Amino acid sequence: MNWIDRTCSENPGARVALRAGLRQNINNRATFAMNRYIAPWLPENAPDATQRAYFTVAALIASRPRAAQDEDDEDEAPEGANAERPDSGPGSTGAGDEAESAAPAEPEEPERWGPSLGSAFAEAVAEAPGRDGEMRESAAESRLNMLTRQGTNGIHRSLPASVLYLRQLDVPVDWAQLLADLIAWPDHSGRIARRWLQDFYRRRHRDAHQAGGDGETPGNSPEEPPA
């Protein structure tokens, strides 16, 4: 993910090629140019669901608002296995190699190593210094619930609108975590969706307490269950 991010910043042609894959099937000719940048990173004999996850996340990175990309460029990726391509070898993902190397036919739900999409939606609702705008809580909740109801095709079609909106609000998205979740979605969408929702409500509940409120998230607080 770091390599794709950096390549999009330094190579306008790569950014155009990767952005063309947004909402496209991996067998669509519009995505063929993406293989130049993605194929070396794919696990060997990766199933279509895994490849589609790589294509979708790469296209999302390439489609980020220009301002967000310029700001991210100021922070160089740290030296290490997930920062440099040449020493990683074919089939390496950089960030999150362990989750991908085996490429099982029925992948296990990914281990957590970063904030989930639910956490990003909660961050979008929170007030933050220097941010021009924020998402209404009802809109964030509605978008997140819509995503959790999607099948494999639906999640790849629906993600771009929500993720790009998050980036317009300067909300960071953990690309490696999103990649792992998309890879596992066909077999574990229920558990992943539940984790997204729980992360969202947990963060909103914590923010309410820190703001000096009564600690209620939309609906009722844990101390006061609905009748």
Side-chain angles (χ1 to χ4, degrees), residues 10 27 33 35 59 76 111 124 139 165 209 215 217 219 227:
E10 299 172 352
N27 293 324
N35 286 286
E76 291 294 330
E111 294 183 5
Y165 186 29
H209 274 295
T217 52

Side-chain angles (χ1 to χ4, degrees), residues 134-183:
E134 60 195 55
M135 192 182 297
R136 287 183 296 119
E137 185 154 10
S138 59
E141 189 175 18
S142 176
R143 282 175 177 265
L144 185 58
N145 274 285
M146 180 272 294
L147 290 173
T148 62
R149 294 192 296 266
Q150 301 300 315
T152 300
N153 289 331
I155 194 70
H156 285 274
R157 286 195 302 264
S158 303
L159 262 179
S162 291
V163 171
L164 296 180
Y165 186 29
L166 289 172
R167 298 303 292 137
Q168 288 174 359
L169 295 177
D170 199 27
V171 174
V173 175
D174 191 303
W175 302 117
Q177 184 64 59
L178 182 59
L179 174 64
D181 286 347
L182 288 179
I183 290 171

Side-chain angles (χ1 to χ4, degrees), residues 185-196:
W185 193 268
D187 300 298
H188 300 287
S189 60
R191 276 185 280 177
I192 295 168
R194 170 163 48 87
R195 171 159 46 83
W196 289 2

Side-chain angles (χ1 to χ4, degrees), residues 38-64:
I38 297 177
W41 295 97
L42 287 171
E44 189 174 357
N45 299 319
D48 283 357
T50 296
Q51 295 193 40
R52 191 173 186 184
Y54 275 72
F55 275 65
T56 292
V57 176
L60 286 171
I61 293 174
S63 300
R64 285 182 300 161

